[in-house]
Amino acid sequence: MIAEFRGFSRRGEAQAALRRFLEGEDAGFRAGPHETVAEYLRSWLAAKELSH
């Protein structure tokens, strides 16, 4: 059976990437799939300013 893991050559690589993604969500990291680092950091900084 041939399985395709979009962007990954092996199942283990895909599982490791999923695990890292889920760990990030558990830690509170939320970013849109098309959000740039700059956009994420701007919103993160704005939220930090409001909390202080």
Side-chain angles (χ1 to χ4, degrees), residues 35-51:
E35 187 174 24
T36 66
V37 172
E39 291 168 335
Y40 174 78
L41 290 176
R42 271 192 226 98
S43 65
W44 180 81
L45 285 171
K48 289 296 181 182
E49 286 178 357
L50 294 174
S51 68

Side-chain angles (χ1 to χ4, degrees), residues 3-21:
E4 180 181 330
F5 303 101
R6 185 180 237 165
F8 300 96
S9 59
R10 299 187 182 275
R11 181 184 188 116
E13 293 172 2
Q15 289 174 328
L18 176 60
R19 188 170 39 256
R20 286 190 306 273
F21 173 79

